[in-house]
Amino acid sequence: MMLKVQFKSIVVGLLLLFFTACKNGKSDTKTDTDNEVTISVKKENFLSDGLLEPISIVSRELSDGSTSDCYKIVVTSTPTDHEMGPWCPDNIADDASAGGIWLEDGKVYDVDGEFVKNLGTFYDDETWMMYNSETGKITKTSTKDECNDAANPNVGEEYQNFCVECLPSYVTDITHTYYIPVTPKKAKTPYSFSNGPAGGPPPGGRPDDGHERPGPPPNRGPEGNSTMPSNRGLAFNGVIFNAPAPVDAILGAYTLAPFDDAGGHINLNEGYHYHAATGVSKKIEQSDNHAAMIGYAFDGYGIFGNTDAEGKAYTDLDDSRGHYDETRGYHYHVDYAGNNNFIDGLRGEYAL
């Protein structure tokens, strides 16, 4: 009898200790993420010359159904910190200064006259012949209509073997409005990008003017989430970090749509946009040898360069191409420029 009483006393005592600990917040359910540093977006990092209006704060619904303060950022898609172009050289005798770059199998190639001349060898397909064999003049688009027709996914045979060059003068009236959470909110489950073609609508799928932009729908996130933005984030100059360029479709039509040395080119829907980070646009150097910061993803987490100050790539990145440190909180590192890619997903909630 005495043993039973002692046993009951021990059990009651343990239960009291447990409930007291819970009441005082001393349970062992706390996770490592509770102590993580979260860095809010700094609107002053954006170059004011690339904005159509001052950045403001509005309340928006996030991808998890909650609401949050978000920065409303209206951009002109025109970089003010570097020139746009050139893209297509004029003649096969031209050097690299006359053309842009091409991204293939993780490598960056200068689109000079020699590159265009040797496309048949480069792709092991003699159908490539993008120049006049007598004059050396390269065949390329020269009007807005030709840009529109040659850049169409269903490009006709009449544009086969054209170098597609869309000029800034074709898109002077383009603006885009984007929303980025002021303070990032980590999602329970990361959102993964599907590497579909670029050119889809901004986050939320609809710009503020109420008109749908031409192009494919947004990429789908986990569990069929159709609100997933196709674009990845914004550079500090207001230019978009776009989804991977549809290289297979471009090459399949025997066209070439080079990027300039900053990794950007133009289409009539997006205006000027980036497909690779080449270190040309504004960057914020770090004091601890870390890679420089180049912009923000659409969940509010920072985007940084591929390598540190010594040229070393980061080897501990997660499936979104991000990791954590106590100085920058969670943040991303872009892919190699030659991979036609920035980041692989969003770790945080994004604005709808």
Side-chain angles (χ1 to χ4, degrees), residues 288-342:
D288 58 355
N289 204 44
H290 190 274
M293 189 178 184
I294 62 173
Y296 289 102
F298 277 120
D299 56 8
Y301 289 121
I303 298 180
F304 292 75
N306 177 264
T307 60
D308 65 18
E310 296 178 353
K312 297 178 181 178
Y314 295 86
T315 59
D316 62 340
L317 304 181
D318 60 24
D319 290 342
S320 301
R321 293 199 59 82
H323 65 177
Y324 174 85
D325 68 44
E326 292 185 357
T327 301
R328 286 152 288 267
Y330 183 85
H331 59 280
Y332 303 102
H333 288 276
V334 293
D335 207 342
Y336 288 105
N339 285 335
N340 178 27
N341 184 46
F342 288 102

Side-chain angles (χ1 to χ4, degrees), residues 259-282:
F259 316 97
D260 62 17
D261 287 346
H265 63 186
I266 291 171
N267 69 43
L268 301 185
N269 301 326
E270 290 273 357
Y272 182 79
H273 57 280
Y274 294 128
H275 286 292
T278 63
V280 175
S281 64
K282 176 189 172 179

Side-chain angles (χ1 to χ4, degrees), residues 77-95:
S77 300
T78 301
T80 58
D81 53 348
H82 67 79
E83 297 291 330
M84 293 177 283
W87 292 279
C88 299
D90 293 321
N91 195 283
I92 59 172
D94 288 341
D95 62 19

Side-chain angles (χ1 to χ4, degrees), residues 145-168:
D145 286 341
E146 288 184 350
C147 158
N148 181 67
D149 294 342
N152 190 307
N154 299 315
V155 58
E157 291 184 4
E158 65 271 25
Y159 289 104
Q160 181 173 297
N161 272 309
F162 264 68
C163 190
V164 182
E165 183 175 70
C166 299
L167 303 178

